[in-house]
Amino acid sequence: MPDVDVIVVGAGPAGSCAAIVLARAGKKVVLIERGPFPGSKNMYGGVVYPRILDQLIPEWWLEAPIQRWVTRRSTMIMTDTKALTIDFRSQAWGAPPYNGATAYRPDFDAWLADHAVAAGAELICSTTVTGLLHDANGHVSGVVTDRPDGELTASVVIACDGVNSFLAKQEGLYGEFDAANYTLGVKETLALPKDVIDERFGVRGTDGVDIEIIGCTGGVNGGGFIYTNLDTIAVGLVLKLPKLAAQKQRPEQLIARLKAHPAIAPLVEGGEIKEYSAHLIPEAGISMLPTLAGNGILLAGDAAALCLAAGIWLEGVNFAMASGMYAGQAAAEAIRSKDTSVAGLAGYQRRLEATFVLKDHRKLRRAPELVLSDRVQHLYPEFATSVAERMFRVDNPEPKPGVRKIVAQERKRVGIRRRDLAKDGLAGLRSFG
Amino acid sequence: MIESPWPEISFEDRIGTASFNVHHTAHIVVDGKVCADCSTRECIVACPANLFVPTSDGGILFNYEQCFECGTCYMVCNREGAITWNYPEGGYGVVFKRT
Amino acid sequence: MIGVCLKWVDRRPEPAGVGGGPDQPDERFAGVSAADQAALEWALRQRDLAGGEIVAVTVGPAAADAVLRDALAAGADRAVRVDRPFGAPSRTVADDLATVFAEATTVWCGDYSFDRGTGSVPAFVAAALGIGQALGLVAIDVDVAGIGALRRLDGGRRERLAITGRAVLSVEGGTALLRRAPLRGLLAKPVIDVVVPAQRIDAAHPADARPFRPRPRAFAPPAGSTALDRIRTLTAAGATVAHGETVTLDPPAAAERILSALREWGYI
C-alpha cells in the first residue's frame, strides 16, 4: 500500500487546486512545496483571471487577497518615440463576479494553499522533490525529497513543479528541449502613494489597470507590461531567451529603457523599487506541450507548459488552476477505479480537451509564434504608429491624404512586403478570429 | 537610444530588494574550465540576477547567493556541462513578497 | 530534561515595528534565528549521546506553534508553548520558560534573535532557576561526562568552561547547523502543550519593546576660527583617540559609573 493516495508537487495555483479537489474527494493527499511558504518562489506578469475558481470556492472574491480589480485594459504599440494605445474600460469588471485582478503571488498562492489545507490536504513546505520513484513495472510510485528518510509513495503523483519541471523531464514527458520556447519575465514592483496611482492611471478605489505593450523591448523579441496594485505598480518585460542572449543589454537595462519612454515615464516616475524579480515563462503554446500524463503521473500548470501567451491574451494562473483542478478530478477518478496507469488517468486529457485549457491553446496555436515574430515585433509597431501619426498630423496647406494612401506609403517606407502583411493578417485572423 | 531621466539604482541595491535565505552550499555549480573557451557567454547578459561575472583572466565568476532560481542560465548556455543546475535545498533560496 | 528555548520572530531583513512596539511577525516570514537552531541541534546531540527528553519551548501566540512543529519534526520529544502575545518583555518570557524548565538539567538558548533582542532572556532564565549560566558560547563539545565550551569574552579573549551541573547555555549560530528534519517527522501529527500563564501581560512593556535608538545628545558649538578648525574640533580628527578608561572602584560605585556612562552614550 502506498503511503498516501496522491502527492502533489508544488503548492502554486495548479498544485493547490489539485489538492483541494482531491482532499474534498476524501483522498489522502500530500502537497509538497520547496519554498518556505506557498507562493514564495512565484512571480508573474500581473493579472489573474479567477473565473474557474467559481467551481472550487464560491464567491472567492469576498476572501481572495486581491490588490485591484482590472477595470481598464490597454494594449499599447510603441516605438522609441511614438505610442498607439487601445484602451478599454468596463465598470462591470469592478463588481461581482469580476473579471481580472492584480494580486501578489506570495499572498494569492498562500491563500489558495490554505484552502487545500482546510479541505484536509497535508502541506509540507521547505521540501524540494528531487526525483520520482518507480515500481517494478516502471510506473511512477512516489517521490524522493531532499530530506532524510525522504521517500514517499503514492498511487498518483501530480507534478505542478513549475516551468523547469525536472520531474516531467526525468519522466521523459518533454520532447527535445528548445530555449526558443521560453521567455524570461523580469519585473520591478514600484511603490507610489495610492492617490498618485489613482490619479496617474485614472482609476478610483480598488479599480485597477493593466497595460500590455509591444515594441518596447529593443532588439529582443518580447513584450512589456505595467499594472497597478493598491499602493505599488509593477513594470516589467517578457524577453525571448535566445534573442536576449544574443545582444548586449541586460534585462534590468531593458526595463530602464521602457521606464524612460515618454509614454511610460510619467506613469512610473518617482516609484521606489520594492522588489525586483524574475521568472521563466513557457511561451510557445501548444507546440511545446509535453505529454500530459504518464503511468502514475500527471503534469499541470507551468510544468505542463500551459501558459497562454497570445498577444492580446496573456494568461497563466487560470490555466494552472484549471489544469490542476482537472488533474485532481482525473486522479481521484483513477484511484476510485483502481487504475492509475496512463489509460486510467485519461480523464485528464479528456477534461482539458473539453474545456478552455486545450481549446484555447488549439485555437491560438499560431498566435505565440506570430506575436513574437520579427515583423510583429520590429516592423509593425513602426508601421502602425506612423500610420496613426500621419492620420492625425495636420499638414496644411497640404490636403489630407486618404487612409489607404497613408497605409500604402508607410508600408513601403517601413519595408513590409505586401505578401507578408497579408500572410500575417491571415494568421492573425485564423488565430484571433 | 532613450536616456533615463532619473538615475537608476545600483545593481546591488536592486537585487537587495529581494529576499534570499542563503544556504551554505551552492545549488548551481559552474565549471570554469568549460567557460574558459566560451566566446559567446550568453549567461553574462541574460541572467536577471547578474550572477555571472567575467574575470580578467578570461574565466567566469559565479555567485549562487542571490539567485532567482529561474533557469535562464542553463537554458541559454550552449556549453555542455558548464552549468550544473539544481534547486536549493527546500526552504532556502529566493523568497518573493510583492510579485 | 533538556530544555530548548526557541523565539518566534520575523526573519525578514527590514526592521519590524519602526516607530512603535514590535509588529506581529508575518507568519510566512517568521521562524527562529540560526542561533536558536544551533541550540536545538546541541540539545539533540546531547540527547543522542547521554539520553534524556528534549522539551522545546516558545513563548508567543498560536502562530508561534510553527517553530515547535519544526522542532518536533527535527527530533524534539515534547513541545510547549506558553501563550502570550508577541513582544512580551524578556523578564516575563524568562519566568515563563523557567516554569517549564523547573526540572531541566540543561537549557539551550540561542545567543541572539533576529529582531535585535537584548539577548537577556538566557541570563534571566538562569537567575529564575537559580542555576549556572554560560552565555555566548562559540564552541561546544558535548560528552557523556559533561559539556566543554569556549565562551566569548571582551577583547577577543576566550574562556574555557567545563560544565557539569545544571546550567543555561546560550550558543552562537555558527556553532552547529541544525539537522534537516526527516520527511516522516514533518508528516507526523505534532502535539503541542499550550500553557496559559496565570498572570497575563497583554501589551509589551514599551521600554523593553522599542528598537534601539540612541538618544540625541546635545553638543556645544565647536570652537575654532575657521570652518576647517571647527570641523576638526567637532570630529576630533587628528586628535589622539582615547581608548576607554580604566577605573578602580568598589562594586556599588562601579555600577553607578557604568550606568552614568551608558546614560551619557544614550543607551539608557
PDB file of all heavy atoms in Angstrom, chain A residues 3 37 106-107 122 126 146-149 151-152, chain C residues 28-29 180-189:
ATOM      1  N   ASP A   3       1.989   5.131   0.780  1.00  0.00           N
ATOM      2  CA  ASP A   3       1.810   5.948   1.987  1.00  0.00           C
ATOM      3  C   ASP A   3       0.556   6.804   1.897  1.00  0.00           C
ATOM      4  O   ASP A   3      -0.182   6.959   2.869  1.00  0.00           O
ATOM      5  CB  ASP A   3       3.022   6.876   2.172  1.00  0.00           C
ATOM      6  CG  ASP A   3       4.314   6.098   2.394  1.00  0.00           C
ATOM      7  OD1 ASP A   3       4.253   5.103   3.136  1.00  0.00           O
ATOM      8  OD2 ASP A   3       5.346   6.480   1.822  1.00  0.00           O
ATOM      9  N   PHE A  37       7.007  28.962   2.129  1.00  0.00           N
ATOM     10  CA  PHE A  37       5.543  29.013   2.146  1.00  0.00           C
ATOM     11  C   PHE A  37       5.067  29.066   0.703  1.00  0.00           C
ATOM     12  O   PHE A  37       5.823  29.465  -0.191  1.00  0.00           O
ATOM     13  CB  PHE A  37       5.020  30.215   2.956  1.00  0.00           C
ATOM     14  CG  PHE A  37       5.455  31.546   2.409  1.00  0.00           C
ATOM     15  CD1 PHE A  37       4.743  32.185   1.417  1.00  0.00           C
ATOM     16  CD2 PHE A  37       6.609  32.161   2.896  1.00  0.00           C
ATOM     17  CE1 PHE A  37       5.153  33.404   0.912  1.00  0.00           C
ATOM     18  CE2 PHE A  37       7.031  33.386   2.394  1.00  0.00           C
ATOM     19  CZ  PHE A  37       6.294  34.000   1.396  1.00  0.00           C
ATOM     20  N   PRO A 106       2.801  35.776  -3.672  1.00  0.00           N
ATOM     21  CA  PRO A 106       3.020  35.188  -2.346  1.00  0.00           C
ATOM     22  C   PRO A 106       1.751  35.252  -1.474  1.00  0.00           C
ATOM     23  O   PRO A 106       1.576  34.408  -0.596  1.00  0.00           O
ATOM     24  CB  PRO A 106       4.148  36.045  -1.763  1.00  0.00           C
ATOM     25  CG  PRO A 106       4.896  36.515  -2.968  1.00  0.00           C
ATOM     26  CD  PRO A 106       3.839  36.771  -4.003  1.00  0.00           C
ATOM     27  N   ASP A 107       0.877  36.225  -1.721  1.00  0.00           N
ATOM     28  CA  ASP A 107      -0.393  36.294  -0.979  1.00  0.00           C
ATOM     29  C   ASP A 107      -1.416  35.339  -1.587  1.00  0.00           C
ATOM     30  O   ASP A 107      -2.052  34.554  -0.887  1.00  0.00           O
ATOM     31  CB  ASP A 107      -0.988  37.711  -1.039  1.00  0.00           C
ATOM     32  CG  ASP A 107      -0.113  38.740  -0.356  1.00  0.00           C
ATOM     33  OD1 ASP A 107       0.813  38.328   0.371  1.00  0.00           O
ATOM     34  OD2 ASP A 107      -0.346  39.940  -0.553  1.00  0.00           O
ATOM     35  N   GLU A 122      -2.433  17.684   3.335  1.00  0.00           N
ATOM     36  CA  GLU A 122      -1.279  17.901   4.208  1.00  0.00           C
ATOM     37  C   GLU A 122      -0.257  18.718   3.429  1.00  0.00           C
ATOM     38  O   GLU A 122       0.215  18.290   2.381  1.00  0.00           O
ATOM     39  CB  GLU A 122      -0.685  16.558   4.598  1.00  0.00           C
ATOM     40  CG  GLU A 122       0.521  16.640   5.486  1.00  0.00           C
ATOM     41  CD  GLU A 122       0.204  16.252   6.918  1.00  0.00           C
ATOM     42  OE1 GLU A 122      -0.558  15.277   7.108  1.00  0.00           O
ATOM     43  OE2 GLU A 122       0.702  16.926   7.828  1.00  0.00           O
ATOM     44  N   SER A 126       9.169  23.892   2.563  1.00  0.00           N
ATOM     45  CA  SER A 126      10.632  23.816   2.712  1.00  0.00           C
ATOM     46  C   SER A 126      11.187  22.449   2.342  1.00  0.00           C
ATOM     47  O   SER A 126      12.133  21.974   2.956  1.00  0.00           O
ATOM     48  CB  SER A 126      11.044  24.179   4.153  1.00  0.00           C
ATOM     49  OG  SER A 126      10.677  25.496   4.443  1.00  0.00           O
ATOM     50  N   ASP A 146      14.460  16.046  -0.635  1.00  0.00           N
ATOM     51  CA  ASP A 146      15.824  16.328  -0.164  1.00  0.00           C
ATOM     52  C   ASP A 146      15.917  16.220   1.356  1.00  0.00           C
ATOM     53  O   ASP A 146      16.845  16.740   1.955  1.00  0.00           O
ATOM     54  CB  ASP A 146      16.261  17.717  -0.645  1.00  0.00           C
ATOM     55  CG  ASP A 146      15.429  18.840  -0.054  1.00  0.00           C
ATOM     56  OD1 ASP A 146      14.370  18.546   0.545  1.00  0.00           O
ATOM     57  OD2 ASP A 146      15.827  20.008  -0.185  1.00  0.00           O
ATOM     58  N   ARG A 147      14.953  15.537   1.983  1.00  0.00           N
ATOM     59  CA  ARG A 147      15.019  15.360   3.434  1.00  0.00           C
ATOM     60  C   ARG A 147      15.522  13.958   3.777  1.00  0.00           C
ATOM     61  O   ARG A 147      15.373  13.036   2.989  1.00  0.00           O
ATOM     62  CB  ARG A 147      13.635  15.567   4.044  1.00  0.00           C
ATOM     63  CG  ARG A 147      13.217  17.022   3.990  1.00  0.00           C
ATOM     64  CD  ARG A 147      12.041  17.300   4.886  1.00  0.00           C
ATOM     65  NE  ARG A 147      11.759  18.721   4.912  1.00  0.00           N
ATOM     66  CZ  ARG A 147      12.291  19.570   5.781  1.00  0.00           C
ATOM     67  NH1 ARG A 147      13.111  19.138   6.715  1.00  0.00           N
ATOM     68  NH2 ARG A 147      11.995  20.847   5.747  1.00  0.00           N
ATOM     69  N   PRO A 148      16.104  13.801   4.970  1.00  0.00           N
ATOM     70  CA  PRO A 148      16.488  12.458   5.385  1.00  0.00           C
ATOM     71  C   PRO A 148      15.235  11.582   5.420  1.00  0.00           C
ATOM     72  O   PRO A 148      14.150  12.092   5.741  1.00  0.00           O
ATOM     73  CB  PRO A 148      17.042  12.663   6.807  1.00  0.00           C
ATOM     74  CG  PRO A 148      17.300  14.110   6.940  1.00  0.00           C
ATOM     75  CD  PRO A 148      16.402  14.816   5.985  1.00  0.00           C
ATOM     76  N   ASP A 149      15.396  10.316   5.122  1.00  0.00           N
ATOM     77  CA  ASP A 149      14.245   9.410   5.125  1.00  0.00           C
ATOM     78  C   ASP A 149      13.161  10.028   4.224  1.00  0.00           C
ATOM     79  O   ASP A 149      11.995  10.084   4.567  1.00  0.00           O
ATOM     80  CB  ASP A 149      13.753   9.257   6.579  1.00  0.00           C
ATOM     81  CG  ASP A 149      12.594   8.299   6.697  1.00  0.00           C
ATOM     82  OD1 ASP A 149      12.446   7.429   5.809  1.00  0.00           O
ATOM     83  OD2 ASP A 149      11.818   8.430   7.663  1.00  0.00           O
ATOM     84  N   GLU A 151      11.704   9.531   1.219  1.00  0.00           N
ATOM     85  CA  GLU A 151      10.879   8.944   0.157  1.00  0.00           C
ATOM     86  C   GLU A 151       9.435   8.834   0.608  1.00  0.00           C
ATOM     87  O   GLU A 151       9.147   8.560   1.765  1.00  0.00           O
ATOM     88  CB  GLU A 151      11.422   7.557  -0.213  1.00  0.00           C
ATOM     89  CG  GLU A 151      12.809   7.638  -0.825  1.00  0.00           C
ATOM     90  CD  GLU A 151      13.312   6.300  -1.329  1.00  0.00           C
ATOM     91  OE1 GLU A 151      12.607   5.290  -1.129  1.00  0.00           O
ATOM     92  OE2 GLU A 151      14.405   6.276  -1.920  1.00  0.00           O
ATOM     93  N   LEU A 152       8.530   9.052  -0.328  1.00  0.00           N
ATOM     94  CA  LEU A 152       7.107   8.969  -0.009  1.00  0.00           C
ATOM     95  C   LEU A 152       6.427   8.333  -1.213  1.00  0.00           C
ATOM     96  O   LEU A 152       6.696   8.709  -2.355  1.00  0.00           O
ATOM     97  CB  LEU A 152       6.552  10.384   0.235  1.00  0.00           C
ATOM     98  CG  LEU A 152       5.172  10.470   0.891  1.00  0.00           C
ATOM     99  CD1 LEU A 152       5.225   9.980   2.333  1.00  0.00           C
ATOM    100  CD2 LEU A 152       4.654  11.908   0.854  1.00  0.00           C
TER     101      LEU A 152
ATOM    102  N   ARG C  28       4.365  34.086   7.420  1.00  0.00           N
ATOM    103  CA  ARG C  28       5.066  33.455   6.308  1.00  0.00           C
ATOM    104  C   ARG C  28       6.568  33.674   6.393  1.00  0.00           C
ATOM    105  O   ARG C  28       7.352  32.911   5.858  1.00  0.00           O
ATOM    106  CB  ARG C  28       4.537  33.989   4.988  1.00  0.00           C
ATOM    107  CG  ARG C  28       3.084  33.648   4.743  1.00  0.00           C
ATOM    108  CD  ARG C  28       2.571  34.339   3.520  1.00  0.00           C
ATOM    109  NE  ARG C  28       2.754  35.784   3.623  1.00  0.00           N
ATOM    110  CZ  ARG C  28       2.630  36.623   2.612  1.00  0.00           C
ATOM    111  NH1 ARG C  28       2.345  36.169   1.426  1.00  0.00           N
ATOM    112  NH2 ARG C  28       2.789  37.910   2.781  1.00  0.00           N
ATOM    113  N   PHE C  29       6.974  34.771   7.040  1.00  0.00           N
ATOM    114  CA  PHE C  29       8.397  35.093   7.083  1.00  0.00           C
ATOM    115  C   PHE C  29       8.980  34.852   8.476  1.00  0.00           C
ATOM    116  O   PHE C  29      10.086  35.249   8.766  1.00  0.00           O
ATOM    117  CB  PHE C  29       8.616  36.546   6.656  1.00  0.00           C
ATOM    118  CG  PHE C  29       8.142  36.819   5.260  1.00  0.00           C
ATOM    119  CD1 PHE C  29       6.972  37.515   5.043  1.00  0.00           C
ATOM    120  CD2 PHE C  29       8.856  36.341   4.179  1.00  0.00           C
ATOM    121  CE1 PHE C  29       6.525  37.748   3.751  1.00  0.00           C
ATOM    122  CE2 PHE C  29       8.414  36.571   2.890  1.00  0.00           C
ATOM    123  CZ  PHE C  29       7.249  37.277   2.675  1.00  0.00           C
ATOM    124  N   ARG C 180      18.552  18.421   9.248  1.00  0.00           N
ATOM    125  CA  ARG C 180      17.343  18.592   8.471  1.00  0.00           C
ATOM    126  C   ARG C 180      16.307  17.603   8.987  1.00  0.00           C
ATOM    127  O   ARG C 180      16.600  16.416   9.161  1.00  0.00           O
ATOM    128  CB  ARG C 180      17.650  18.328   7.001  1.00  0.00           C
ATOM    129  CG  ARG C 180      16.656  18.941   6.083  1.00  0.00           C
ATOM    130  CD  ARG C 180      17.290  19.279   4.765  1.00  0.00           C
ATOM    131  NE  ARG C 180      16.243  19.452   3.762  1.00  0.00           N
ATOM    132  CZ  ARG C 180      15.461  20.502   3.688  1.00  0.00           C
ATOM    133  NH1 ARG C 180      15.590  21.473   4.559  1.00  0.00           N
ATOM    134  NH2 ARG C 180      14.544  20.585   2.744  1.00  0.00           N
ATOM    135  N   ALA C 181      15.111  18.081   9.217  1.00  0.00           N
ATOM    136  CA  ALA C 181      14.058  17.218   9.740  1.00  0.00           C
ATOM    137  C   ALA C 181      13.716  16.157   8.710  1.00  0.00           C
ATOM    138  O   ALA C 181      13.589  16.462   7.526  1.00  0.00           O
ATOM    139  CB  ALA C 181      12.826  18.044  10.060  1.00  0.00           C
ATOM    140  N   PRO C 182      13.588  14.891   9.138  1.00  0.00           N
ATOM    141  CA  PRO C 182      13.204  13.862   8.167  1.00  0.00           C
ATOM    142  C   PRO C 182      11.770  14.067   7.696  1.00  0.00           C
ATOM    143  O   PRO C 182      10.958  14.686   8.395  1.00  0.00           O
ATOM    144  CB  PRO C 182      13.354  12.560   8.952  1.00  0.00           C
ATOM    145  CG  PRO C 182      13.285  12.949  10.383  1.00  0.00           C
ATOM    146  CD  PRO C 182      13.801  14.350  10.480  1.00  0.00           C
ATOM    147  N   LEU C 183      11.464  13.559   6.505  1.00  0.00           N
ATOM    148  CA  LEU C 183      10.131  13.750   5.928  1.00  0.00           C
ATOM    149  C   LEU C 183       9.050  13.181   6.846  1.00  0.00           C
ATOM    150  O   LEU C 183       8.006  13.784   7.047  1.00  0.00           O
ATOM    151  CB  LEU C 183      10.078  13.094   4.549  1.00  0.00           C
ATOM    152  CG  LEU C 183       8.825  13.385   3.722  1.00  0.00           C
ATOM    153  CD1 LEU C 183       8.712  14.861   3.426  1.00  0.00           C
ATOM    154  CD2 LEU C 183       8.836  12.590   2.438  1.00  0.00           C
ATOM    155  N   ARG C 184       9.330  12.002   7.438  1.00  0.00           N
ATOM    156  CA  ARG C 184       8.328  11.387   8.338  1.00  0.00           C
ATOM    157  C   ARG C 184       8.061  12.296   9.535  1.00  0.00           C
ATOM    158  O   ARG C 184       6.955  12.328  10.043  1.00  0.00           O
ATOM    159  CB  ARG C 184       8.814  10.026   8.847  1.00  0.00           C
ATOM    160  CG  ARG C 184       9.212   9.065   7.766  1.00  0.00           C
ATOM    161  CD  ARG C 184       8.019   8.426   7.076  1.00  0.00           C
ATOM    162  NE  ARG C 184       8.428   8.075   5.725  1.00  0.00           N
ATOM    163  CZ  ARG C 184       7.622   7.578   4.800  1.00  0.00           C
ATOM    164  NH1 ARG C 184       6.341   7.373   5.067  1.00  0.00           N
ATOM    165  NH2 ARG C 184       8.065   7.295   3.606  1.00  0.00           N
ATOM    166  N   GLY C 185       9.109  12.981   9.965  1.00  0.00           N
ATOM    167  CA  GLY C 185       8.940  13.902  11.086  1.00  0.00           C
ATOM    168  C   GLY C 185       7.942  14.991  10.748  1.00  0.00           C
ATOM    169  O   GLY C 185       7.116  15.388  11.571  1.00  0.00           O
ATOM    170  N   LEU C 186       8.005  15.475   9.508  1.00  0.00           N
ATOM    171  CA  LEU C 186       7.087  16.546   9.098  1.00  0.00           C
ATOM    172  C   LEU C 186       5.678  16.009   8.898  1.00  0.00           C
ATOM    173  O   LEU C 186       4.698  16.748   9.044  1.00  0.00           O
ATOM    174  CB  LEU C 186       7.578  17.173   7.791  1.00  0.00           C
ATOM    175  CG  LEU C 186       8.815  18.054   7.907  1.00  0.00           C
ATOM    176  CD1 LEU C 186       9.345  18.409   6.531  1.00  0.00           C
ATOM    177  CD2 LEU C 186       8.507  19.320   8.681  1.00  0.00           C
ATOM    178  N   LEU C 187       5.572  14.732   8.526  1.00  0.00           N
ATOM    179  CA  LEU C 187       4.247  14.168   8.259  1.00  0.00           C
ATOM    180  C   LEU C 187       3.540  13.758   9.551  1.00  0.00           C
ATOM    181  O   LEU C 187       2.326  13.628   9.584  1.00  0.00           O
ATOM    182  CB  LEU C 187       4.370  12.959   7.330  1.00  0.00           C
ATOM    183  CG  LEU C 187       4.646  13.295   5.866  1.00  0.00           C
ATOM    184  CD1 LEU C 187       5.079  12.062   5.104  1.00  0.00           C
ATOM    185  CD2 LEU C 187       3.412  13.915   5.208  1.00  0.00           C
ATOM    186  N   ALA C 188       4.331  13.562  10.633  1.00  0.00           N
ATOM    187  CA  ALA C 188       3.717  13.157  11.902  1.00  0.00           C
ATOM    188  C   ALA C 188       2.856  14.295  12.450  1.00  0.00           C
ATOM    189  O   ALA C 188       3.174  15.464  12.266  1.00  0.00           O
ATOM    190  CB  ALA C 188       4.818  12.796  12.888  1.00  0.00           C
ATOM    191  N   LYS C 189       1.779  13.942  13.094  1.00  0.00           N
ATOM    192  CA  LYS C 189       0.908  14.970  13.679  1.00  0.00           C
ATOM    193  C   LYS C 189       1.570  15.500  14.949  1.00  0.00           C
ATOM    194  O   LYS C 189       1.813  14.756  15.888  1.00  0.00           O
ATOM    195  CB  LYS C 189      -0.456  14.360  14.037  1.00  0.00           C
ATOM    196  CG  LYS C 189      -1.370  14.189  12.828  1.00  0.00           C
ATOM    197  CD  LYS C 189      -2.177  15.457  12.553  1.00  0.00           C
ATOM    198  CE  LYS C 189      -2.823  15.425  11.179  1.00  0.00           C
ATOM    199  NZ  LYS C 189      -1.863  15.731  10.074  1.00  0.00           N
TER     200      LYS C 189
END
